[in-house]
Amino acid sequence: MRIQFLGGTGTVTGSKYLLTTEHARILVDCGLFQGYKQLRLRNWAGLPFDPAGLDAVVLTHAHLDHSGYLPLLVKTGFRGKILCSEATYDLCKILLPDSGHLQEEDAAAANRHGYSQHRPAMPLYTEEDARVALRQFVTVGFDRRIEVAPGLGAVFSRAGHILGAAIVALDDGHRRITFSGDLGRANDPVMVAPAPLAPTDYLVVESTYGNRVHDPADPLLAMASVIRDTAARGGVVVIPAFAVGRAQGLMYAMHQMKASGAIPAYLPVFLDSPMARDATAIYGRHRADHRLDPAACQAMCHAATIINTVEESKQLDARNTPKVIISASGMATGGRVLHHLKAFAGDPRNTILFAGFQAGGTRGAALIDGADEIRIHGQQVRVRAQVAHVDNLSAHADSNELMGWMSALGRAPRRTFITHGEPAASEALRARIKHELGWDCLVPEHLQTVAL
């Protein structure tokens, strides 16, 4: 058995792991690279293997940094099954066509306004490419062994994080390798806790927050303070949020803050993301993945006014009155939130509020680092609004939570691979695992191959 690290190394994006045995070749996750330009260019560079030679793809969850390359994989020859949980499939039916649609829109806009270096600018893939890829999805249940390829079995266990997220353990009858995917938090207010780590010979663990511990303070107090202060000075709060997971958590938070009086009940809250609207409806179909009872689920769904049309979205920007706008994408790399940033970033009364991790090279990271200008749609946009960051709302386990999940394992893996983190985070987690647990561990390089 061999593993090759094709993404998620030195970055939190582009997760792809090629697992090869004597009889099978499978890909675990198939994500898009995001952030720095040199990372995004990898999306266009092709893969170091023939997609037609793959037996299957195993998907840990639906976020685009884990699933967003699938349409291109299928377009370039992959014809096997894409195996995932039911909720992951439901979310991918929303996320992947939307990703293709946005890429088509971005290419068309670049061609109209001439701000691309490419003539003509082309999408990485189209909405139709995504719909074709969805035909190859096959859903599997949690906590039972299935065969994913000749001689290779898999068990999916709940990872928390978002609906359908899975910890995936693969074995060939002689050795087992477990992929954490993106690990959720034991005390997340919405999602269930991650399943315990079962004995394994090899472990691939994420390290998004490998060098950080979430603030134990109640994040709703910090968020409510920002919202109240902004509303008091007549401003608008713009919250970039991933349409799947983060948007729903924020809507539930808005419900809680209004119910407790932490923010004014009359303050308008808008969810400007048709994709987030559709994702929210899925929560009712997958009750085992989250903690919300039917009443809480309904409260979450009705905590914001849903913006459906482009015209309604434009009207939000035309009225500079106190309100909260939740809009995708979460790192301000695309989507409708860019139009809201163009409208509101220049006014010091307003606030841009981030509620999750911001990968290096994204507009979100630049804003948190104090950028006084950001480039949107080929234009420089001045930033005079306040920028706030409530980090402990994250759906990712922090360093202590990752260590707690691993340390409960009775027998050390032969080797642990630390991935899906920026270099400082991955190295910090490696050093901590080595020091506290005494495990053999490695932070792999991009394209590195390791024999198991």
Side-chain angles (χ1 to χ4, degrees):
M1 185 182 285
R2 290 180 297 140
I3 184 172
Q4 186 176 19
F5 299 89
L6 305 177
T9 52
T11 173
V12 297
T13 70
S15 287
K16 299 182 196 72
Y17 310 103
L18 179 65
L19 196 67
T20 306
T21 70
E22 187 177 357
H23 304 291
R25 287 164 64 84
I26 73 161
L27 199 63
V28 178
D29 282 342
C30 190
L32 280 178
F33 286 100
Q34 299 163 311
Y36 294 111
K37 183 177 181 180
Q38 63 265 37
L39 290 175
R40 289 184 278 114
L41 289 174
R42 291 180 183 174
N43 294 324
W44 296 88
L47 296 167
F49 65 87
D50 179 7
L54 280 179
D55 292 289
V57 174
V58 173
L59 200 55
T60 62
H61 67 288
H63 277 151
L64 291 179
D65 57 331
H66 293 258
S67 74
Y69 194 90
L70 283 168
L72 193 55
L73 188 78
V74 171
K75 187 176 182 178
T76 52
F78 172 63
R79 295 296 177 263
K81 296 177 180 178
I82 300 167
L83 297 144
C84 66
S85 70
E86 290 184 10
T88 293
Y89 176 47
D90 282 349
L91 293 173
C92 281
K93 285 188 288 186
I94 299 170
L95 280 165
L96 295 181
D98 182 77
S99 174
H101 176 70
L102 287 176
Q103 290 180 60
E104 290 181 271
E105 280 194 339
D106 288 347
N111 290 326
R112 282 197 307 273
H113 302 293
Y115 57 74
S116 172
Q117 297 178 7
H118 304 283
R119 300 288 190 276
M122 299 291 290
L124 187 65
Y125 56 81
T126 66
E127 181 177 350
E128 178 59 23
D129 293 332
R131 296 196 185 281
V132 169
L134 287 166
R135 299 171 191 164
Q136 293 173 219
F137 276 63
V138 176
T139 61
V140 302
F142 285 107
D143 303 320
R144 60 182 181 87
R145 191 178 187 275
I146 59 165
E147 186 174 88
V148 299
L152 199 62
V155 176
F156 285 63
S157 305
R158 284 188 171 84
H161 186 60
I162 65 167
L163 289 180
I167 300 157
V168 179
L170 294 151
D171 74 87
D172 63 357
H174 303 287
R175 65 207 71 109
R176 170 181 286 188
I177 180 168
T178 299
F179 295 82
S180 72
D182 283 0
L183 202 68
R185 306 180 65 185
N187 297 312
D188 189 281
V190 175
M191 299 308 301
V192 297
L197 175 60
T200 190
D201 298 299
Y202 297 92
L203 173 64
V204 180
V205 65
E206 69 125 316
S207 56
T208 307
Y209 284 89
N211 60 344
R212 279 172 282 182
V213 175
H214 296 312
D215 187 341
D218 184 351
L220 299 193
L221 295 179
M223 182 179 291
S225 177
V226 170
I227 293 171
R228 286 196 310 270
D229 289 349
T230 306
R233 59 178 182 260
V236 176
V237 179
V238 177
I239 309 180
F242 291 112
V244 174
R246 176 57 53 232
Q248 291 74 34
L250 286 166
M251 288 170 66
Y252 188 57
M254 295 297 160
H255 159 69
Q256 291 177 299
M257 289 186 289
K258 285 192 172 184
S260 69
I263 63 174
Y266 59 81
L267 184 67
V269 177
F270 299 94
L271 177 67
D272 186 15
S273 170
M275 184 167 55
R277 172 202 64 203
D278 295 340
T280 304
I282 293 174
Y283 276 68
R285 300 205 296 271
H286 296 283
R287 290 285 314 283
D289 284 0
H290 62 80
R291 304 178 190 269
L292 303 182
D293 61 26
C297 207
Q298 283 295 311
M300 175 186 74
C301 293
H302 294 95
T305 300
I306 308 296
I307 299 299
N308 292 302
T309 68
V310 172
E311 187 57 38
E312 289 174 334
S313 182
K314 290 179 179 178
Q315 289 173 5
L316 286 181
D317 294 342
R319 299 191 300 270
N320 198 2
T321 55
K323 56 182 169 278
V324 176
I325 302 173
I326 302 168
S327 185
S329 71
M331 298 185 192
T333 54
R336 289 185 179 179
V337 75
L338 296 184
H339 297 280
H340 301 311
L341 291 177
K342 286 171 72 173
F344 297 116
D347 190 334
R349 295 177 299 168
N350 302 330
T351 299
I352 305 165
L353 174 60
F354 290 95
F357 184 82
Q358 303 297 307
T362 62
R363 292 185 187 87
L367 286 165
I368 286 174
D369 288 342
D372 56 11
E373 279 190 341
I374 52 174
R375 191 168 182 81
I376 299 176
H377 302 145
Q379 303 174 10
Q380 292 299 119
V381 175
R382 187 178 182 187
V383 179
R384 297 180 66 210
Q386 309 290 316
V387 177
H389 190 200
V390 179
D391 196 67
N392 55 343
L393 268 171
S394 175
H396 282 270
D398 67 12
S399 181
N400 285 348
E401 291 162 334
L402 288 166
M403 290 300 298
W405 182 69
M406 288 183 284
S407 64
L409 190 62
R411 174 174 60 86
R414 296 182 194 176
R415 185 169 247 191
T416 296
F417 303 99
I418 297 101
T419 64
H420 201 276
E422 293 185 343
S426 295
E427 175 56 26
L429 187 62
R430 183 207 64 79
R432 192 169 174 188
I433 294 170
K434 181 71 174 176
H435 175 71
E436 296 182 24
L437 301 179
W439 293 2
D440 177 26
C441 43
L442 172 71
V443 179
E445 298 289 334
H446 183 57
L447 301 181
Q448 183 175 352
T449 300
V450 179
L452 306 179

